[in-house]
Amino acid sequence: MSAGGFHRLPNGSVVVALNLPRPGPSGDRVRILVHAANRSRALTRLRNLGLRAVYLRGNAEPPTPDEITAVLHHPDGLLWRGAPQCRQELWHPIRALLRPAG
């Protein structure tokens, strides 16, 4: 099960943050941020990218103000970084995570 949360912005849109297993054989985890009109659309955006088993139950780990700023300033509104406890790693566009290895 993924841990995560959301934050509703003043304009009505939301930023959803999820901690998910990294796609592929490694057991690493990644923190994914999604900006969308509502929570359902945010999860649908991830499911459309191939992350099928993505659910948000509760608001245990909402996005921090720095994470909200990062996703709002990215043109796609979808970012990720590995190891949520490692704050020195930069944010990456979602296509870098889903790119086939090789």
Side-chain angles (χ1 to χ4, degrees), residues 54-71:
V54 177
Y55 298 97
L56 180 62
R57 292 186 173 94
N59 200 15
E61 295 183 34
T64 64
D66 290 338
E67 291 175 335
I68 293 169
T69 301
V71 76

Side-chain angles (χ1 to χ4, degrees), residues 45-85:
R45 287 185 75 186
L46 290 174
R47 289 182 187 126
N48 288 342
L49 291 171
L51 301 171
R52 297 288 182 215
V54 177
Y55 298 97
L56 180 62
R57 292 186 173 94
N59 200 15
E61 295 183 34
T64 64
D66 290 338
E67 291 175 335
I68 293 169
T69 301
V71 76
L72 289 178
H73 284 88
H74 192 270
D76 293 338
L78 275 165
L79 297 174
W80 72 277
R81 75 174 166 196
Q85 66 275 14

Side-chain angles (χ1 to χ4, degrees), residues 1-2 15 22 30-31 34 44 52 55 61 70 76-79 81 100:
M1 179 136 107
S2 62
V15 174
R22 186 181 191 130
V30 294
R31 177 95 163 159
V34 183
T44 300
R52 297 288 182 215
Y55 298 97
E61 295 183 34
D76 293 338
L78 275 165
L79 297 174
R81 75 174 166 196

